[in-house]
Amino acid sequence: MVVLRKLPGMPGWPAALGLRLPQKFLFLLFLSGLLTLCFGALFLLPDSSRFKRLFLPRRATASASSSSSASSSSASSSSTRDTDLPRSPPAAAEPRHASPAAPRRLREKLRTAARMAGPPARTAPGSRQQVQGGDGRAQPASAAPPARETRAPFRFDYERFRRSLRHPVRGGRSGEDPETRARRMKIEMMKFAWDNYKQYALGKNELRPLTRNGHIGNMFGGLRGATVIDALDTLYIMELEEEFQEAKQWVERSFDLNVNGEASLFEVNIRYIGGLLATYYLTGEEVFKSKALELGEKLLPAFNTPTGIPRGVINLGSGMSWSWGWASAGSSILAEFGTLHLEFLHLSELSGNPVFAEKVRNIRRVLSRVEKPQGLYPNFLSPVTGSWVQHHVSIGGLGDSFYEYLIKSWLMSDKKDSEAKKMYDDALEAIEKHLVKKSAGGLTYIAEWRGGILDHKMGHLACFSGGMIALGAQHSTGDRRQRHMELAAEITSTCHESYTRSDTKLGPEAFRFDAGSEATATRLSERYYILRPEVVESYMYLWRLTHQPKYRHWGWEVVQALEKHCRVEAGFSGIRDVYTTTPSHDNMQQSFFLAETLKYLYLLFCEDDVLSLEDWVFNTEAHPLPINHTDLRAAGQP
């Protein structure tokens, strides 16, 4: 046993322990390490810690370098085209390579940027003026009198926005014939779908109507209530007031954004952010705007890649992002990173923070630089190199909504976003030249392209293109307008044929034009129908743009088929085989059935001023976002 004694004339205290030289060395090494650890820990304390300030001096303000950096950033930001977004005060974007493990710090920086966005207001006598420190915190100016700078927070002028609309949101409904009204009211089978969801699955993402329970899934990163968010604007437009209030109450009380899970950037954007933005614009209720902005901030770390092209999967808690495991060579998907523009411009418009708009404009810059094979956009792009990974082109899955968002970005900007219009026109020209084909039976379809080899199939997802091409044709002239309207009508007719050639009068997931088959599914894996909306979406657009009665007739056939084959005791379900009159059900009421399929059917039988195309564009989940007719910043803001 080592006994410590204090005796006169005794050597230093390590020797008093009776330690040998190697032991003394190890002991001193341990002691020095302990002191280093304790001192180093001071740097990990919060900047506001009093204990830290006892040992470390305040950092000198780096206002010169900070202001220089900020001014160059502001100049760069102002040089970008912003005709499709009201000019907003510049705000600092988050660092390109910010730590993905620190989303909370990221959110704080973004909120600080938004608060500090406006130019300095006049300071009252006796107030304390502040300058921006090098660490991003407000610090007192050394030579300033006791003054505090005040900045007005950005405020979106909602009342002015509502006055800018050219038509009532729900329309006037004057001169409506009784048969059309009866059919529209029938499509309020929306109430049946909602009531069963509320009874058996409220708060879950989707309803399983056969087993009468809820489904959560792993696509939304722990977020709940996908059906609630997707249904909000449909309930409002259909004037289902009680049901809308039920959904709103759930958002206010139960919609939690503090989740930790792997989410699809694309799906969270189009369903949750799109649904929340649309409902805010329709109602003016602040809860929807604040939830959309907070969720939008959680998606920003996905853009922290060498090119700024976001990865497809993000953990909403940690901020870490990665590409889908099935995506070729870690690539990002065209239809995913190309389907953010509408929502992110509105996030900037409502927050006054340009970071969201800059993220999607950077995607445009990357796409404008990369070479397009035959003028086409392949589906897989590396977020690291900004190069195409493989040359697979599809107007259906993996590519579809990228093209949709080009023409709709131009329309949403009140036809000022000329870059989007040119990209759309050039892409459609390449599609016409290389992908549009006509079958032996005279059916027009859009094939898929695999490195120059055509795959003569068309997915249900591609059937949205009839409506898209018709929408774009309205703003063309002469022969081009007529050609595109004919192409839109022919593609929509082909998709209708895929419905009429099935026993259920509902369309398969994909249909082919080979081996003597036309507009039918030839593979067992493609025979299912999961309540998809793309065909009735094109019916709605073609009706509004031509008023040919056949589109309402075709839509009514879909209503009858849904009622006969997809309606079950506790909701609506997809079916596994459209080619049998007694199909088995997949036990899933998809959230997009309430967001898209029922909304488009309802609008098909409404007058044109209900969600007028002069005032609104629909995101790819059918959530209406307003066309920017005017600068909607609150009066008095710079």
Side-chain angles (χ1 to χ4, degrees):
M1 179 182 295
V2 177
V3 180
L4 179 61
R5 297 174 182 170
K6 186 175 181 180
L7 298 175
M10 201 172 181
W13 64 271
L17 296 175
L19 300 176
R20 294 172 181 165
L21 185 60
Q23 294 172 322
K24 292 178 182 179
F25 175 75
L26 291 173
F27 183 81
L28 292 174
L29 186 63
F30 168 76
L31 185 61
S32 63
L34 181 63
L35 291 174
T36 302
L37 180 65
C38 293
F39 183 73
L42 292 174
F43 292 95
L44 300 178
L45 291 173
D47 289 339
S48 59
S49 170
R50 294 182 180 179
F51 184 67
K52 180 174 180 177
R53 292 201 299 267
L54 291 175
F55 293 92
L56 299 178
R58 291 177 180 267
R59 278 185 281 183
T61 58
S63 56
S65 61
S66 176
S67 60
S68 173
S69 173
S71 63
S72 64
S73 173
S74 175
S76 172
S77 175
S78 62
S79 67
T80 59
R81 177 191 44 74
D82 60 356
T83 55
D84 50 352
L85 180 70
R87 291 184 177 85
S88 304
E94 83 285 8
R96 176 173 291 276
H97 299 292
S99 167
R104 181 172 175 271
R105 292 199 303 272
L106 177 63
R107 293 196 298 271
E108 289 171 352
K109 289 181 182 179
L110 290 170
R111 293 190 184 106
T112 301
R115 288 195 300 270
M116 302 297 290
R122 296 179 181 177
T123 52
S127 62
R128 185 182 300 277
Q129 188 171 0
Q130 297 180 337
V131 298
Q132 189 75 11
D135 58 356
R137 296 187 302 277
Q139 297 191 4
S142 55
R148 176 179 292 276
E149 179 185 6
T150 59
R151 300 177 187 271
F154 181 88
R155 187 172 68 84
F156 178 80
D157 193 338
Y158 181 80
E159 293 303 321
R160 188 179 177 195
F161 153 69
R162 288 304 294 260
R163 291 194 299 271
S164 75
L165 296 178
R166 296 168 182 174
H167 302 274
V169 170
R170 292 166 168 166
R173 293 185 180 169
S174 58
E176 187 176 51
D177 67 272
E179 182 182 4
T180 298
R181 183 180 186 279
R183 289 186 169 184
R184 189 187 76 245
M185 297 302 290
K186 175 64 176 176
I187 297 166
E188 290 184 5
M189 52 191 187
M190 174 73 180
K191 178 172 170 53
F192 178 74
W194 170 261
D195 285 347
N196 280 284
Y197 168 77
K198 181 187 71 172
Q199 182 175 354
Y200 300 113
L202 183 63
K204 301 296 192 297
N205 286 323
E206 283 129 346
L207 165 68
R208 291 189 179 274
L210 300 184
T211 52
R212 304 191 184 200
N213 60 351
H215 173 257
I216 295 175
N218 56 6
M219 192 164 49
F220 305 119
L223 294 174
R224 300 291 190 265
T227 293
V228 178
I229 306 301
D230 256 350
L232 277 163
D233 52 11
T234 310
L235 294 171
Y236 181 83
I237 291 301
M238 290 186 176
E239 301 184 47
L240 296 172
E241 304 292 355
E242 181 180 341
E243 291 77 7
F244 174 79
Q245 291 301 323
E246 292 167 351
K248 175 190 169 186
Q249 186 177 87
W250 184 88
V251 173
E252 291 173 329
R253 298 180 181 180
S254 304
F255 186 36
D256 183 12
L257 300 183
N258 296 316
V259 295
N260 185 34
E262 303 170 6
S264 163
L265 173 73
F266 167 76
E267 297 290 352
V268 169
N269 177 63
I270 66 170
R271 300 195 198 204
Y272 284 91
I273 292 181
L276 291 166
L277 288 173
T279 310
Y280 169 70
Y281 282 119
L282 291 172
T283 67
E285 298 281 357
E286 287 291 321
V287 62
F288 303 117
K289 180 177 78 171
S290 63
K291 293 285 188 182
L293 295 177
E294 184 178 352
L295 188 52
E297 290 177 4
K298 287 177 174 287
L299 299 184
L300 289 174
F303 293 81
N304 293 335
T305 66
T307 61
I309 297 293
R311 294 187 171 93
V313 186
I314 183 169
N315 185 299
L316 296 176
S318 70
M320 294 183 65
S321 66
W322 56 94
S323 298
W324 292 106
W326 49 264
S328 181
S331 56
S332 296
I333 311 302
L334 179 68
E336 296 192 342
F337 67 77
T339 309
L340 303 166
H341 206 95
L342 303 184
E343 296 84 357
F344 272 51
L345 287 187
H346 279 288
L347 290 175
S348 278
E349 184 165 332
L350 293 179
S351 67
N353 188 347
V355 63
F356 301 103
E358 179 55 31
K359 294 300 183 187
V360 291
R361 289 191 180 123
N362 177 68
I363 293 173
R364 288 260 191 94
R365 288 192 287 270
V366 173
L367 290 176
S368 67
R369 292 193 301 263
V370 67
E371 182 181 355
K372 271 73 74 176
Q374 307 293 328
L376 299 168
Y377 289 84
N379 293 334
F380 299 96
L381 185 78
S382 169
V384 176
T385 65
S387 302
W388 304 116
V389 173
Q390 59 175 250
H391 289 178
H392 172 216
V393 178
S394 169
I395 310 305
L398 305 179
D400 48 5
S401 47
F402 162 71
Y403 306 97
E404 174 189 359
Y405 271 40
L406 290 178
I407 187 62
K408 288 182 177 179
S409 292
W410 179 69
L411 292 171
M412 194 178 78
S413 72
D414 208 15
K415 305 176 187 177
K416 297 182 179 71
D417 186 354
S418 57
E419 180 185 41
K421 182 63 161 59
K422 184 179 188 308
M423 290 174 70
Y424 171 79
D425 288 341
D426 292 347
L428 185 56
E429 181 179 346
I431 290 167
E432 284 186 276
K433 182 177 181 180
H434 298 289
L435 304 184
V436 173
K437 300 297 174 183
K438 191 175 289 286
S439 72
L443 297 180
T444 301
Y445 63 96
I446 303 178
E448 297 189 5
W449 190 82
R450 299 179 185 273
I453 300 174
L454 289 181
D455 185 3
H456 296 273
K457 81 164 189 177
M458 191 169 175
H460 195 293
L461 289 167
C463 286
F464 87 97
S465 60
M468 175 190 74
I469 294 170
L471 189 62
Q474 298 305 299
H475 309 282
S476 298
T477 57
D479 293 342
R480 183 183 180 91
R481 176 190 175 102
Q482 181 178 352
R483 186 176 79 251
H484 285 175
M485 282 303 297
E486 290 175 355
L487 176 61
E490 290 172 4
I491 291 172
T492 302
S493 179
T494 297
C495 292
H496 172 250
E497 284 297 314
S498 76
Y499 275 52
T500 60
R501 297 184 185 196
S502 78
D503 294 342
T504 59
K505 306 306 176 188
L506 295 167
E509 181 68 5
F511 45 93
R512 296 180 179 269
F513 300 85
D514 52 21
S517 172
E518 293 195 1
T520 57
T522 59
R523 302 179 184 181
L524 290 175
S525 60
E526 298 172 345
R527 298 163 73 98
Y528 62 89
Y529 172 73
I530 56 172
L531 308 176
R532 285 203 187 277
E534 291 78 20
V535 172
V536 295
E537 175 183 356
S538 286
Y539 293 170
M540 189 277 292
Y541 280 111
L542 267 295
W543 160 255
R544 287 211 172 179
L545 299 174
T546 70
H547 287 152
Q548 292 184 22
K550 67 179 180 182
Y551 296 112
R552 277 185 166 174
H553 176 70
W554 292 352
W556 188 244
E557 290 176 347
V558 176
V559 172
Q560 293 175 316
L562 287 169
E563 287 281 284
K564 182 176 181 179
H565 298 291
C566 296
R567 183 169 181 145
V568 294
E569 289 186 5
F572 288 88
S573 171
I575 56 179
R576 293 190 171 93
D577 189 349
V578 298
Y579 297 105
T580 175
T581 54
T582 56
S584 62
H585 295 91
D586 65 9
N587 194 27
M588 186 67 70
Q589 180 176 282
Q590 303 280 352
S591 76
F592 57 68
F593 179 64
L594 288 77
E596 301 183 75
T597 310
L598 294 180
K599 183 187 286 125
Y600 284 133
L601 284 170
Y602 181 81
L603 293 175
L604 178 61
F605 293 98
C606 283
E607 296 302 306
D608 292 355
D609 59 353
V610 181
L611 288 181
S612 169
L613 298 181
E614 292 183 352
D615 287 325
W616 305 89
V617 296
F618 294 94
N619 86 337
T620 200
E621 191 80 0
H623 295 306
L625 299 173
I627 291 173
N628 187 8
H629 293 309
T630 184
D631 186 333
L632 296 170
R633 290 170 299 177
Q637 291 190 353

